[in-house]
Amino acid sequence: TAVSKLTDVSSAVGGLTLNLTTVSGTVPKQTSTSTQSNNGPPTGGSAGGFNGPRSVNFTSVAVSGVDPSSSDLGAITSDELTSGTWFTSTTKRQAILDVNYASTKNKQVGDTIKLSGKTYTVVGIAKTPVGGSSSDVYIDLTQLQKLAGDSGKINTLYVRATTASAVAAVSKRISSTISGASVTTSASLAKQMTGTLSSAKSLTSKLGFVLEA
């Protein structure tokens, strides 16, 4: 990509984050009634209505597509794993779950989940990235693109600078290279972040990252 060729860029990897919404349940049949007067045609009574309560459920899952070959750069990295393993295959449907989502859904490594009718095996559980926001589920980027019908498309680019001191310059180069790009550095995330000293210390290892959302 154009970004990966910029000065002081060590590596770059694309990502895609989407909300997959599933609609389930049934909608009651619509009914209509009419009445007829003595001197005229039928007239509408309760014209159109639903017979019985509605039973439609909407569930939304935040899903991020990651490059399985990049375990140290992306929406999630192998460092965030609390149990299980990183993706082991690019052909099988595998998923890594956020620890909070896994707890809510009572899912563990080895269980399965369904996304858009496809079954995925849970291979890992991960904590929320330090200084960032987490998705509920992480799967292979190409598989998510196919599910969304957006083959080859990304909406986030993760970039690592060669050194921490080069981050600001790389951020400016990305902004000038990609029109309308929104660039967030891990340094700016650190300023917004509150937490323990250990959390702040963990973040310093990511100062080579530039995130574009």
Side-chain angles (χ1 to χ4, degrees):
T1 64
V3 171
S4 63
K5 297 177 182 179
L6 293 176
T7 302
D8 292 325
V9 169
S10 173
S11 57
V13 62
L16 180 66
T17 298
L18 301 171
N19 282 315
L20 298 183
T21 301
T22 301
V23 181
S24 61
T26 58
V27 177
K29 293 181 179 180
Q30 188 173 14
T31 60
S32 62
T33 59
S34 62
T35 58
Q36 183 173 5
S37 63
N38 293 331
N39 298 315
T43 58
S46 299
F50 288 99
N51 184 16
R54 300 184 183 186
S55 180
V56 179
N57 298 315
F58 294 87
T59 57
S60 182
V61 180
V63 184
S64 284
V66 300
D67 184 347
S69 66
S70 178
S71 62
D72 62 348
L73 181 63
I76 198 75
T77 68
S78 58
D79 288 342
E80 272 87 44
L81 288 172
T82 59
S83 64
T85 64
W86 187 251
F87 299 98
T88 60
S89 171
T90 57
T91 56
K92 296 180 181 179
R93 297 190 184 99
Q94 299 180 334
I96 293 175
L97 306 186
D98 174 73
V99 63
N100 295 320
Y101 181 79
S103 177
T104 299
K105 298 298 181 180
N106 195 28
K107 295 292 184 179
Q108 300 177 354
V109 172
D111 291 343
T112 60
I113 62 169
K114 280 197 172 184
L115 298 173
S116 296
K118 305 294 184 180
T119 301
Y120 289 78
T121 300
V122 178
V123 296
I125 306 295
K127 60 185 178 181
T128 302
V130 177
S133 58
S134 68
S135 289
D136 298 318
V137 181
Y138 303 88
I139 65 174
D140 185 298
L141 174 60
T142 57
Q143 293 178 1
L144 180 58
Q145 289 169 335
K146 289 179 181 178
L147 281 181
D150 288 329
S151 180
K153 293 185 179 181
I154 63 173
N155 57 14
T156 308
L157 187 63
Y158 301 87
V159 182
R160 172 176 286 145
T162 53
T163 63
S165 60
V167 169
V170 170
S171 177
K172 291 180 180 179
R173 293 187 186 110
I174 292 176
S175 296
S176 61
T177 301
I178 303 178
S179 178
S182 174
V183 181
T184 302
T185 69
S186 50
S188 65
L189 286 176
K191 291 179 181 179
Q192 301 171 21
M193 180 180 148
T194 58
T196 63
L197 180 60
S198 60
S199 295
K201 184 177 180 181
S202 297
L203 187 60
T204 61
S205 65
K206 299 192 175 188
L207 288 177
F209 290 88
V210 178
L211 308 182
E212 178 245 322

